[in-house]
Amino acid sequence: MSDAHEEARRAAQRIMTARSRLHAAAPQTTEALHTAAGPHSEDPTTWPDAIRDLLAPSQQRLDELHTIISDFAAGRSSESLTLEGLRQIAQHQPSRGAR
Amino acid sequence: MTGALPEAPAPQTVRDLLELAADLLSARDALAVARNAASSAPTDSRIVEAIAESLDAEVRGLDEILAGLYRLVELAEDIWEDVGLPESQTPPNHAAALYRAAGNAFFDLRRLTGIPQPTSDSTSETTGKTPHNTDIESSAEPSAPIDTRAVAASWVGATAEDVYASVKALTRPARRLLALAEPRAVGSTYGVPWRMRAFANAVEIRRTLHREQVAGTPWSPRIGRLETMLRRVPDPGPRSGDPDDTQSSGLRQSAENAPRPPVRRVFIAFSPERSGRMIELVGRVGPECDAVGVYVPGTGTNLDMSHVNTDVAANLVAASGGRLAVLAFLDGEFPQDILSDAGEMRFAESMAPRLVRFCREIDRVLEIESPGAALTVIGHSYGGRIVGTAERLGLRCDRVLYAESPDIGVGVSVPSDWRNPAPVMRFSLTAPADPVELLQIRSGLRARWSTSDLGDATLRLDTGYFSDGELVYGTRGHGGVFDAESDSFQAILAVLLGGTATLWRDRDIRAAHTRVRAGSEGRVWPTVWRHAMGLGLHRANEPYSQPQVLMEKPPQEITIPRPQGRSRHRAQSPAGGLTENN
């Protein structure tokens, strides 16, 4: 196992911790995202749930990140495929680029 | 304590939001650990680099969501306290304005998380109204995409004017988004409108407090201070606009005569590092404002005890009838102990350049908000040394007041060492028998037969009496010159706003174990003897207490001119500028 694979394995483990904490904070919702929070602003008691809905994309990206990195660490995915996967995730990270 | 309203127990909604924030914080920290490990790994690998970048973007994403969440916590508190009050206690449509702000906060959160805005048929946004009949931002103003990180990065090395221009080009929703996504840059960059900086710093203060609470830190002065900083205070007076959304322009006129609910404090700089830093604006900079004061406090100043500094600013503003705004300038490290480090120059040398830059920023803001308003810088005790040093570095202001100052700045022996770019009116206050006179002597600023406290560099005003009739004298007088309703406080107001002030008066004074004889001003041995008794021999016996005036010279009054330029400049006020309230 190369150093890169070893680092990836460690990163995947750490992401697992973050992922489980995020899932604990915001259990996946099946509601359509476009309704999230929209009609709730006048009832503060609904705000926490509305925010949990807004966390779904983060959870989804973290799941994907974990899968891609784990696959690379386990030798199930090549370097180029992994880089491509990470690049595709980057395209959906709102904190990069304009939104 | 800063006029802050008493703390009420947090409503359940606020507790729920903070619980969610704690969970998010925990996930964010775990991601940060993974990011830091990947970015510091010794392995030279594109994969590891890409992993670190991906994790960094996720950490920033959660930081942004937390910022939006803290904003909602603030609004939930406001709604809890204000909505449902009798109409006589709130301005018209106040509840609607708060709900509108909440709608905007969710609008911002959706942008931050990359979630499409609700479609027209899914909510009441079809008409751009909430059930309380208030426009929400999303339909009121188009929101062009913004790369918040790139905007903040472009400010590095930019002038305040360039920063201002870049902010002016943004829509209001974009400015809000920028403040939530880059609160540290927005909250500390000159050129960013102050209300926007305050918006960003409110997020940062809440984040700092929440961090302390989540860490399980037992109650500490820092936690107490942060809590107070987030509490609301009585409204200081009429306003020309509001930071975000809690008042629409259409409501402004009718709201002027309406009851004013408490408002959030305005911090235009904040940092929890070391002993903590902040700049707080008390009062409003606007068309009604004749003068702006910058108050630079002295030894012992830190964030945890900053309420005493805010109180000074609040007292001055309250006494001015809305004509004055005061900034408490705590943007740096102050000496903390009178014996061990108050004699060191490094604090003044470090803070003075920041004060010079900040006063230039005030000038820029006044040009827009309150053209021609006079700028006065007040240095109290060690703060006087900071102000004097800043004058040597080119401080631009209209008036300076040295209050109980040990000297006139590091590297300043005579007034000609100052390098102000424009004329400055200078005043000073030194209470009789204030031990600071020992330092004035050591600095060579006192001379026999001279009544000047600072080497003829200033016009020395009389400190007079406290409101209880006791003479402003000795150690009580050192800090007591800022006591509201004292004669010295009135003199400070006269310096700021113009008016009548009394010049220093010679007196024969006898206190418990110290004495000032008429005609002894500036003489070394009587001064040294006085404080050998006061600070040494009789230290435990309240040596400066019960001062009795045996004789005093008749008062000699001077008239300090009112700030002149305002009406003249008003006609030249730039039209269509981005006000500091945007």
Side-chain angles (χ1 to χ4, degrees):
Chain A
M1 184 181 275
S2 71
D3 287 349
H5 285 84
E6 181 58 25
E7 286 297 340
R9 187 186 63 76
R10 289 185 193 136
Q13 277 181 345
R14 291 179 176 122
I15 291 171
M16 192 66 186
T17 307
R19 188 170 157 253
S20 61
R21 290 182 186 177
L22 193 58
H23 279 286
Q28 286 279 14
T29 173
T30 54
E31 282 182 38
L33 289 178
H34 69 270
T35 63
H40 303 298
S41 63
E42 302 219 8
D43 181 4
T45 60
T46 66
W47 291 1
D49 284 339
I51 294 164
R52 286 190 184 95
D53 288 349
L54 295 172
L55 292 171
S58 293
Q59 290 174 309
Q60 203 173 327
R61 280 196 308 275
L62 222 50
D63 289 349
E64 288 172 18
L65 258 178
H66 183 257
T67 304
I68 289 170
I69 296 170
S70 297
D71 284 353
F72 174 74
R76 292 191 294 269
S77 176
S78 68
E79 181 172 324
S80 59
L81 265 180
T82 306
L83 282 173
E84 175 57 21
L86 291 173
R87 193 188 62 75
Q88 283 186 8
I89 288 180
Q91 285 180 339
H92 295 100
Q93 288 179 309
S95 64
R96 298 197 203 202
R99 58 267 177 90
Chain B
M1 286 218 337
T2 69
L5 299 176
E7 184 178 15
Q12 185 62 42
T13 305
V14 168
R15 292 202 297 273
D16 290 346
L17 286 170
L18 287 175
E19 203 172 300
L20 175 58
D23 290 341
L24 278 183
L25 206 54
S26 167
R28 179 257 177 228
D29 287 349
L31 271 177
V33 167
R35 175 200 59 190
N36 296 346
S39 61
S40 61
T43 312
D44 184 16
S45 159
R46 287 164 61 201
I47 291 278
V48 178
E49 268 178 39
I51 290 172
E53 283 174 20
S54 280
L55 293 175
D56 182 58
E58 290 302 329
V59 171
R60 280 191 283 118
L62 287 184
D63 275 338
E64 292 172 2
I65 294 172
L66 277 163
L69 211 161
Y70 292 133
R71 167 70 179 147
L72 281 170
V73 169
E74 182 174 295
L75 289 167
E77 288 176 353
D78 290 353
I79 288 170
W80 172 260
E81 288 173 11
D82 290 356
V83 173
L85 288 175
E87 283 185 8
S88 59
Q89 294 181 29
T90 57
N93 297 320
H94 181 57
L98 286 171
Y99 287 128
R100 176 173 171 267
N104 288 340
F106 274 110
F107 176 79
D108 298 338
L109 267 170
R110 284 194 292 271
R111 273 183 92 178
L112 290 170
T113 51
I115 292 178
Q117 298 300 332
T119 53
S120 58
D121 57 351
S122 65
T123 74
S124 54
E125 289 180 33
T126 39
T127 57
K129 305 281 183 187
T130 69
H132 273 80
N133 204 33
T134 53
D135 292 323
I136 62 167
E137 199 77 80
S138 51
S139 56
E141 197 166 357
S143 48
I146 173 175
D147 185 340
T148 51
R149 203 179 193 194
V151 172
S154 73
W155 292 346
V156 177
T159 64
E161 287 73 19
D162 289 341
V163 171
Y164 173 78
S166 77
V167 174
K168 190 180 173 187
L170 300 174
T171 60
R172 270 167 55 123
R175 291 200 288 271
R176 266 198 332 261
L177 202 74
L178 187 59
L180 291 173
E182 303 288 343
R184 287 193 182 165
V186 170
S188 62
T189 302
Y190 291 155
V192 175
W194 286 1
R195 287 281 166 180
M196 199 171 151
R197 288 179 66 161
F199 184 89
N201 285 322
V203 167
E204 280 304 283
I205 295 168
R206 229 167 249 283
R207 192 194 303 273
T208 305
L209 175 60
H210 192 227
R211 275 267 175 214
E212 297 272 2
Q213 290 167 335
V214 167
T217 311
W219 190 91
S220 65
R222 175 61 55 91
I223 288 180
R225 186 57 42 224
L226 292 169
E227 285 174 344
T228 313
M229 288 166 78
L230 291 171
R231 236 174 272 158
R232 301 195 299 177
V233 293
D235 191 326
R239 68 184 116 208
S240 57
D242 245 333
D244 168 26
D245 356 355
T246 52
Q247 291 269 356
S248 70
S249 56
L251 301 177
R252 204 172 298 142
Q253 276 196 329
S254 60
E256 274 181 10
N257 298 321
R260 297 193 186 99
V263 293
R264 296 285 171 185
R265 293 168 66 182
V266 177
F267 295 96
I268 57 176
F270 168 74
S271 166
E273 303 298 320
R274 294 170 62 92
S275 61
R277 299 175 176 194
M278 66 95 162
I279 301 174
E280 180 173 8
L281 170 66
V282 182
R284 288 206 168 85
V285 176
E288 307 83 10
C289 179
D290 277 343
V292 171
V294 178
Y295 170 61
V296 187
T299 301
T301 297
N302 56 49
L303 185 67
D304 299 351
M305 295 297 291
S306 59
H307 59 287
V308 292
N309 312 118
T310 303
D311 283 347
V312 168
N315 287 342
L316 288 168
V317 171
S320 74
R323 293 174 58 208
L324 179 64
V326 177
L327 294 131
F329 184 82
L330 281 70
D331 194 19
E333 297 286 328
F334 288 82
Q336 293 300 304
D337 187 86
I338 199 93
L339 293 175
S340 65
D341 55 8
E344 294 188 23
M345 306 296 175
R346 62 188 168 93
F347 300 100
E349 287 173 328
S350 154
M351 278 190 73
R354 303 168 80 93
L355 180 61
V356 173
R357 281 200 301 277
F358 181 60
C359 286
R360 285 182 191 150
E361 169 72 357
I362 296 174
D363 272 346
R364 186 193 64 75
V365 170
L366 293 185
E367 275 299 308
I368 298 164
E369 280 291 302
S370 187
L375 173 59
T376 299
V377 182
I378 303 170
H380 176 231
S381 192
Y382 193 95
R385 178 177 288 166
I386 296 169
V387 173
T389 311
E391 287 210 79
R392 178 172 62 80
L393 299 177
L395 179 71
R396 212 304 300 165
C397 61
D398 299 292
R399 298 170 187 190
V400 169
L401 174 65
Y402 291 92
E404 316 297 327
S405 179
D407 54 40
I408 51 176
V410 178
V412 183
S413 305
V414 289
S416 58
D417 289 331
W418 285 324
R419 290 283 183 271
N420 312 74
V424 178
M425 294 169 67
R426 296 190 183 86
F427 305 88
S428 62
L429 290 166
T430 300
D434 179 350
V436 81
E437 63 186 346
L438 286 171
L439 298 173
Q440 293 170 348
I441 285 175
R442 193 183 68 173
S443 302
L445 297 170
R446 294 279 192 141
R448 196 173 185 180
W449 312 126
S450 168
T451 60
S452 170
D453 51 351
L454 294 174
D456 293 325
T458 60
L459 200 58
R460 185 178 181 184
L461 303 178
D462 193 53
T463 48
Y465 294 82
F466 291 111
S467 57
D468 61 6
E470 183 172 310
L471 187 73
V472 177
Y473 178 88
T475 46
R476 183 188 176 194
H478 185 76
V481 286
F482 288 97
D483 278 16
E485 297 178 32
S486 65
D487 290 341
S488 49
F489 182 83
Q490 295 302 324
I492 295 168
L493 271 180
V495 170
L496 286 158
L497 292 167
T500 309
T502 306
L503 290 174
W504 177 84
R505 298 168 72 182
D506 197 8
R507 294 184 176 91
D508 203 336
I509 308 160
R510 180 186 294 146
H513 296 285
T514 53
R515 167 142 208 194
V516 173
R517 290 183 191 279
S520 68
E521 194 68 13
R523 292 174 62 189
V524 174
W525 287 115
T527 307
V528 171
W529 179 254
R530 176 158 55 242
H531 297 297
M533 295 293 109
L535 302 175
L537 206 58
H538 293 288
R539 186 174 182 173
N541 303 324
E542 300 185 357
Y544 299 97
S545 63
Q546 302 164 21
Q548 303 294 318
V549 177
L550 308 177
M551 183 283 293
E552 63 185 348
K553 289 275 179 69
Q556 189 181 352
E557 293 192 333
I558 58 163
T559 300
I560 301 171
R562 285 173 66 111
Q564 292 296 312
R566 186 165 155 247
S567 54
R568 173 169 50 85
H569 285 272
R570 186 176 273 171
Q572 303 164 6
S573 175
L578 170 62
T579 71
E580 292 305 315
N581 295 314
N582 277 319

